[in-house]
Amino acid sequence: MPSKQIYLGVIGVGGVGTSFLQQLSKLPSPPTLVLLARSSQTLLSPAPAYSPAIPAGDWQTASANPSLTKSGALSPSEIVSYLSSAPSGSRSVLVDNTSDPALASAYPQFLKAGISVVTPNKKGFSSDLSLWKDIFASAASGGALVYHESTVGAGLPVLSTLRDLVATGDQVTRIEGVFSGTLSFLFNTFAPVSASSEAKWSDVVSQAKDLGYTEPDPRDDLNGMDVARKLTILARIVGLQVQSPESFPIESLIPAELASLPGTAAGIQEFMTRLPEFDGQMTALKEQAEKAGKVVRYVGSIDVAKNEVKVGLQQFDKDSAIAGLKGSDNIISFYTQRYGSNPLIVQGAGAGGEVTAMGVLADLNKVLERL
Amino acid sequence: MPSKQIYLGVIGVGGVGTSFLQQLSKLPSPPTLVLLARSSQTLLSPAPAYSPAIPAGDWQTASANPSLTKSGALSPSEIVSYLSSAPSGSRSVLVDNTSDPALASAYPQFLKAGISVVTPNKKGFSSDLSLWKDIFASAASGGALVYHESTVGAGLPVLSTLRDLVATGDQVTRIEGVFSGTLSFLFNTFAPVSASSEAKWSDVVSQAKDLGYTEPDPRDDLNGMDVARKLTILARIVGLQVQSPESFPIESLIPAELASLPGTAAGIQEFMTRLPEFDGQMTALKEQAEKAGKVVRYVGSIDVAKNEVKVGLQQFDKDSAIAGLKGSDNIISFYTQRYGSNPLIVQGAGAGGEVTAMGVLADLNKVLERL
């Protein structure tokens, strides 16, 4: 296939961003990296020649290169303007490796200008329905592409599979799964299938926090919002008009008494200190499930016919795939007309810099194939 | 995206072909069907106008349309010639819904002529390594695309996932799974996890045959060749130079004494009649596994570092994902450097007209997006 010249702007050099740049640098024929932005710094290849390129594998020392332009933080409009000045016949792609809602809400600007967007950032796809619609309408009008596989299940083939099912005319009836690596780890440890565990909930949370499996404030995992955002995306792909992740029931695992503690270091510490007061409630839930020969898990589900999205605790048979999940794995089951009573299942690590970046890079490869 | 005019030739109207045409007819903007071939008949839109098109949803009555050209069976060269006379600026795609090795060995001709190929036919990708290489080299030289997702696991996202892992630089270390819906059903029924089963092997085979789950001659499933072909494809995608599916060990489940019975109706009947003589051997295998707290399953595996491909019986822990498989589901586990100790798993129906056709149509959609 004849391939156009592709110019790449990458925002974010956190865990995912760093892995992405590393993986990008090892592609046999990578696109030309011309913009690399981190919080307050932007590195640019001088326009309009877009030369020299920024070396993706060596970006940390590239800012010392006098041939590259250094700038402070650029606004989304400024980035659109820079990337859309690419020479005629070439195309530009934005890779957003942040979780920034402001940048996400500017995707329509990029897309209308013909700049494709690849991102693991959930915000653009799981906020107001109007933004979702604006993103896809803008892509169509600008002749640009949007890929966001890593917004659900990191590098696992979740969205691509669901889009294929829908595009080929299968009827998706139900989607169910464990969508949070953090909550997967917490429940697999707190209520394992194989042995009855004496573990206290607060100890498990504390352990996960120490291992870096939770957000700095574990309440950002325990509130269920991350799972709700993923369900919002899946439901919209199936065609449900979900207004926002707040428009369906989310069962929060934060005790009401601790919800209003501030998100400061002191507030987080007080949360962790007081969490043991509520261990009895979680143990009761675990024991109740055990009496029924089951285990408790934190899941999301979509019932398409009922137009119902739910996020929260449910009991599962011990020999079910969800109960048998290991470590911090995700599992997503698609029930469809064609697949019948046994769902199509995708399972594996659903978080982590390397596998998330892999999903972003695989998306970028698809965009490069199509542009 | 501006889309080119795409002309489609479809070969085969068996179980997969029929489902494919049905699904194709429901696409919002399907490509133009200009050639439809079944064993001894070919229906064509008169070239060079390629008009009128063949109605995909109504192909069975279309042969009565006097505006369409009827012909006997065309050779691959004749089909290449017909499809490559498409007007300048348009593109053609061959969808091969047969399992014909002769047509598969002609893929390079199609591809060199710029005709893309989409197929669930394993033969082209699992025969001699020279044909595999010729196919992909021809695609590159002809600027055409080849997609064959449904050659492994039907519509399950198996090959696309593996190609993404490889293309983004992950190190695939091991692939393991149950790749045959028929053998999955046989062992899930013969040696279920939950209850000890008194089922005799020959009865289970007979039941599967009656349900239409086996090939007309069950030895075509029991010889392991179908699984070996799938493993050959996966191994080649990972980069192993597998010469042919005969170049690694395949454990056949056909008793040696019955292997040489002819493939005629009488031969098949004698096979089924004499199979009970060998029930003791299979029961012994089952009981041996049970003593170790395990179950026996027919699996394929690839150890990349050892360059080792194997197909045959293995014992699995009862709480393993492979042991817990239901019905005639497939399961494929990818062990990679990035995914660590817990593999990326894809599971679900790996056979059947509807889900296989869905994989073919999803591939076709990707080709349409890229052409």
Side-chain angles (χ1 to χ4, degrees):
Chain A
M1 306 260 95
S3 55
K4 294 192 178 74
Q5 174 74 49
I6 307 284
Y7 297 106
L8 197 64
V10 176
I11 322 274
V13 289
V16 175
T18 305
S19 293
F20 172 80
L21 290 165
Q22 184 61 22
Q23 292 179 19
L24 178 72
S25 73
K26 302 206 169 141
L27 283 187
S29 46
T32 308
L33 179 63
V34 296
L35 180 152
L36 179 61
R38 52 202 304 188
S39 38
S40 59
Q41 290 171 29
T42 309
L43 199 59
L44 301 138
S45 300
Y50 288 133
S51 175
I54 302 167
D58 197 26
W59 61 271
Q60 277 157 308
T61 57
S63 59
N65 182 340
S67 308
L68 293 169
T69 307
K70 265 78 62 185
S71 157
L74 299 183
S75 71
S77 301
E78 288 169 321
I79 299 174
V80 169
S81 165
Y82 171 80
L83 287 176
S84 56
S85 55
S88 152
S90 66
R91 299 294 300 264
S92 300
V93 180
L94 173 78
V95 177
D96 170 15
N97 285 326
T98 75
S99 56
D100 181 4
L103 182 56
S105 59
Y107 293 164
Q109 284 182 57
F110 285 89
L111 294 162
K112 273 178 206 148
I115 302 163
S116 295
V117 173
V118 172
T119 185
N121 181 352
K122 285 184 279 290
K123 300 293 162 51
F125 309 93
S126 61
S127 301
D128 279 349
L129 182 59
S130 57
L131 177 57
W132 167 277
K133 289 183 172 171
D134 196 7
I135 286 172
F136 290 99
S138 301
S141 77
L145 301 168
V146 192
Y147 277 76
H148 58 105
E149 180 65 76
S150 291
T151 55
V152 180
L156 297 176
V158 176
L159 301 191
S160 55
T161 299
L162 182 58
R163 287 193 192 276
D164 280 349
L165 290 168
V166 171
T168 60
D170 202 354
Q171 297 295 319
V172 179
T173 53
R174 194 155 67 87
I175 303 173
E176 180 182 71
V178 171
F179 294 91
S180 156
T182 310
L183 292 168
S184 181
F185 175 84
L186 291 177
F187 283 94
N188 299 344
T189 310
F190 177 60
V193 167
S194 43
S196 72
S197 157
E198 298 299 315
K200 284 181 187 155
W201 175 250
S202 61
D203 286 341
V204 176
V205 174
S206 181
Q207 183 193 351
K209 185 174 189 302
D210 292 345
L211 288 167
Y213 289 181
T214 69
E215 296 292 322
D217 186 343
R219 288 173 297 180
D220 290 339
D221 297 297
L222 297 174
N223 65 11
M225 186 48 68
D226 171 72
V227 178
R229 286 190 176 277
K230 291 169 180 167
L231 271 282
T232 299
I233 295 170
L234 293 169
R236 287 173 176 173
I237 291 176
V238 178
L240 300 186
Q241 303 284 308
V242 178
Q243 287 303 319
S244 84
E246 281 91 11
S247 58
F248 53 85
I250 307 171
E251 184 177 353
S252 171
L253 298 178
I254 305 172
E257 295 86 338
L258 307 183
S260 58
L261 291 173
T264 58
I268 296 169
Q269 198 182 340
E270 186 177 347
F271 171 76
M272 293 303 292
T273 306
R274 289 185 57 192
L275 192 57
E277 295 168 25
F278 304 89
D279 278 343
Q281 294 176 18
M282 290 301 286
T283 300
L285 284 171
K286 172 160 77 170
E287 288 174 350
Q288 191 187 9
E290 246 164 42
K291 271 182 201 146
K294 300 188 176 196
V295 292
V296 67
R297 293 289 182 267
Y298 193 88
V299 297
S301 62
I302 299 167
D303 184 318
V304 178
K306 290 187 187 160
N307 192 9
E308 197 175 80
V309 184
K310 278 193 304 194
V311 173
L313 292 171
Q314 278 187 44
Q315 296 184 359
F316 289 87
D317 288 334
K318 289 192 173 183
D319 68 350
S320 66
I322 284 184
L325 218 55
K326 297 199 169 55
S328 56
D329 277 4
N330 284 192
I331 184 169
I332 298 97
S333 297
F334 297 106
Y335 292 83
T336 83
Q337 194 180 43
R338 290 187 193 140
Y339 278 88
S341 53
N342 294 345
L344 189 170
I345 298 174
V346 177
Q347 180 179 331
E354 285 287 319
V355 294
T356 305
M358 173 259 169
V360 177
L361 188 60
D363 274 356
L364 177 61
N365 279 336
K366 293 181 181 80
V367 169
L368 299 180
E369 287 171 348
R370 291 182 60 183
L371 283 180
Chain B
M1 303 261 96
S3 55
K4 293 191 180 72
Q5 174 74 49
I6 306 284
Y7 297 107
L8 197 62
V10 176
I11 322 274
V13 289
V16 175
T18 306
S19 295
F20 171 80
L21 290 164
Q22 185 60 21
Q23 293 180 18
L24 179 72
S25 72
K26 303 207 168 140
L27 282 187
S29 45
T32 308
L33 179 62
V34 295
L35 180 150
L36 179 61
R38 51 199 308 188
S39 39
S40 59
Q41 290 171 28
T42 310
L43 198 61
L44 302 137
S45 300
Y50 288 132
S51 174
I54 302 167
D58 198 23
W59 61 271
Q60 276 157 309
T61 58
S63 59
N65 182 341
S67 308
L68 292 170
T69 306
K70 266 79 62 183
S71 157
L74 299 183
S75 70
S77 300
E78 287 168 322
I79 300 174
V80 169
S81 166
Y82 171 80
L83 287 175
S84 56
S85 56
S88 151
S90 67
R91 298 296 299 264
S92 301
V93 180
L94 172 79
V95 177
D96 170 16
N97 285 327
T98 74
S99 57
D100 181 2
L103 182 56
S105 58
Y107 291 165
Q109 284 182 56
F110 286 88
L111 295 161
K112 274 178 205 148
I115 301 163
S116 294
V117 173
V118 173
T119 186
N121 181 352
K122 284 184 280 290
K123 301 293 162 52
F125 309 94
S126 60
S127 301
D128 278 349
L129 183 59
S130 57
L131 178 56
W132 167 278
K133 289 184 174 170
D134 196 9
I135 286 171
F136 290 98
S138 301
S141 77
L145 301 168
V146 193
Y147 278 75
H148 58 106
E149 180 65 74
S150 291
T151 55
V152 181
L156 298 176
V158 176
L159 301 192
S160 54
T161 299
L162 182 57
R163 288 193 192 276
D164 280 350
L165 291 168
V166 171
T168 60
D170 201 354
Q171 298 295 318
V172 179
T173 52
R174 192 154 68 89
I175 302 173
E176 181 182 68
V178 172
F179 294 92
S180 157
T182 310
L183 293 168
S184 180
F185 175 83
L186 291 176
F187 283 94
N188 299 343
T189 309
F190 177 61
V193 166
S194 42
S196 74
S197 156
E198 298 298 315
K200 283 179 187 153
W201 176 249
S202 60
D203 286 341
V204 176
V205 173
S206 181
Q207 184 193 351
K209 186 172 188 305
D210 292 345
L211 288 167
Y213 288 180
T214 69
E215 296 293 323
D217 186 342
R219 288 173 296 179
D220 290 340
D221 297 298
L222 298 174
N223 65 13
M225 186 49 66
D226 172 72
V227 178
R229 287 190 175 277
K230 291 168 180 166
L231 270 283
T232 298
I233 295 169
L234 293 169
R236 287 173 176 172
I237 292 175
V238 178
L240 302 187
Q241 303 283 308
V242 178
Q243 286 302 321
S244 86
E246 281 91 11
S247 58
F248 53 84
I250 307 171
E251 183 176 354
S252 172
L253 299 177
I254 306 173
E257 294 86 339
L258 306 184
S260 57
L261 291 173
T264 60
I268 297 170
Q269 201 183 336
E270 186 178 348
F271 171 76
M272 294 304 291
T273 306
R274 290 185 57 191
L275 193 57
E277 297 169 23
F278 304 90
D279 280 343
Q281 295 175 17
M282 291 300 286
T283 301
L285 283 171
K286 174 161 74 169
E287 288 175 350
Q288 191 188 8
E290 245 165 42
K291 270 182 202 148
K294 301 189 177 192
V295 292
V296 66
R297 293 290 182 265
Y298 194 88
V299 297
S301 62
I302 298 167
D303 183 319
V304 179
K306 289 187 187 161
N307 192 10
E308 197 174 79
V309 184
K310 277 194 306 194
V311 172
L313 293 170
Q314 277 187 45
Q315 297 185 358
F316 288 89
D317 289 335
K318 289 192 173 184
D319 68 351
S320 66
I322 283 185
L325 218 54
K326 296 199 170 54
S328 56
D329 278 4
N330 284 191
I331 184 169
I332 297 95
S333 298
F334 297 106
Y335 291 84
T336 82
Q337 193 180 45
R338 288 184 194 141
Y339 277 88
S341 53
N342 294 346
L344 189 170
I345 297 175
V346 177
Q347 179 179 333
E354 285 286 320
V355 295
T356 306
M358 173 260 168
V360 177
L361 188 60
D363 274 356
L364 177 62
N365 279 336
K366 292 180 182 81
V367 168
L368 298 179
E369 287 170 349
R370 291 182 60 183
L371 284 179

